[in-house]
Amino acid sequence: MSTTMTHTGAAASPSNGTTGRQTRFIDAIAFEWIKVSSVRSTWWTLFAAAFITIGTGALGGGGADPGDTAEIVLKDIFVGLPIGQLAICLFGALAATSEYGTGSIRSTFTAVPKRPRLLAAKALVVCAVSLVTGLLISFGTYTAGSLSLGAAVPHPALSDGAVLRVVVGGGCYLGVLGVFALVMGLVLRASAGAITACICLTFILPLTFHALSDIGVLLLKWWPTEAGQRILDLVPATRYLAPLPGLGWFAACTLVALIGAISRVSRRDA
């Protein structure tokens, strides 16, 4: 498989040469990786997310009180994770909408005519990048926050299974969130709309639910992104889903939405 470059420097469509060989799934993955890795904004966005989230974690750890419990200390350390969420949402949405904005999506569909195969490859690449970035952010935030804790402040240790679950789970949550944002981009095909939808679904609506008493608690319990964030609870809250089932519910909802988005994109014009 050879790859040509457009005048903008971005990766164009993979060529099958003169053999007429059908593009394989591994070719589609390589194609999507080239597109993602060749865009500078991808790395700047993810670097900014890591820098701000880890820096905020250090500040949060430094501000922890000696009288706090380990649960509160860990929440102080991960207080900047919502910033990481925004960057991951931006990355996932732009992975879909940038091609629609430039019109290069037509070349992409020409290179890989089987759209489900192409979009599955795109989702896999976005998930992998979001997951690796999320894990680096999560472990980096925990490390920076732990190093900034005072001597008298309780230190949440990774040897505690619940603490390890929070740190690893935070990265996994961001990995699923990247695919969730990709779905928004595939459905709306516009960067502003997809990013706005992600912010509304991840931040604004959950805040609204908090003001709705009993019905709000029920909505928060089953709202996919809120259920996924339960993985960050060191001590599970009885009124919400448990941490692992919550993350599983978020992943399942995202997978169903992805399948629906792939089906929709496959049936409509580029």
Side-chain angles (χ1 to χ4, degrees), residues 88-175:
I88 294 295
C89 285
L90 180 62
F91 162 67
L94 290 178
T97 60
S98 59
E99 290 189 273
Y100 284 103
T102 61
S104 62
I105 191 66
R106 297 181 180 85
S107 299
T108 297
F109 287 156
T110 299
V112 188
K114 291 188 176 182
R115 296 187 183 184
R117 176 180 296 176
L118 170 72
L119 298 176
K122 185 185 290 289
L124 184 60
V125 170
V126 168
C127 182
V129 173
S130 300
L131 177 61
V132 171
T133 303
L135 289 171
L136 290 174
I137 288 176
S138 192
F139 274 95
T141 300
Y142 168 80
T143 301
S146 297
L147 291 175
S148 66
L149 293 175
V153 176
H155 284 57
L158 288 178
S159 57
D160 183 339
V163 175
L164 181 61
R165 184 254 300 159
V166 169
V167 178
V168 174
C172 293
Y173 168 76
L174 292 179

Side-chain angles (χ1 to χ4, degrees), residues 165-186:
R165 184 254 300 159
V166 169
V167 178
V168 174
C172 293
Y173 168 76
L174 292 179
V176 177
L177 187 66
V179 180
F180 176 81
L182 174 69
V183 170
M184 295 297 104
L186 291 174

